[in-house]
Amino acid sequence: GQRVLLVAHSDRSFEGDLLKEIPVGQRRKVMERKTALTVQKMLEGVATEDGTAVKAAIPGFTVIGKTGT
């Protein structure tokens, strides 16, 4: 339910000019927790035996994906 920026610390142009600094770890609520968990479960289901991307499954890893539109 929250977007957490852990890696990116700045936005830069193709030329490398600093466009915007982004504080590491900045949090912003983008959806309700229940909604996020529902979407997560749906995306996890894509790479299962019952999903539409069975070949994307990697044993020992949780793979999430989106197929279609």
Side-chain angles (χ1 to χ4, degrees):
Q2 291 188 1
R3 179 186 75 176
V4 180
L5 302 173
L6 298 175
V7 178
H9 63 276
S10 64
D11 285 339
R12 295 188 177 269
S13 69
F14 283 110
E15 294 79 24
D17 298 323
L18 180 65
L19 301 174
K20 181 172 105 176
E21 289 187 339
I22 304 169
V24 174
Q26 180 182 20
R27 293 176 184 256
R28 181 172 73 103
K29 187 173 185 176
V30 295
M31 69 178 71
E32 295 297 324
R33 179 174 172 74
K34 181 178 178 183
T35 304
L37 291 173
T38 299
V39 172
Q40 179 181 338
K41 288 293 181 193
M42 291 167 55
L43 294 175
E44 286 175 353
V46 171
T48 64
E49 289 182 18
D50 298 327
T52 56
V54 177
K55 292 181 180 179
I58 302 171
F61 290 88
T62 300
V63 175
I64 63 171
K66 180 194 165 301
T67 60
T69 59

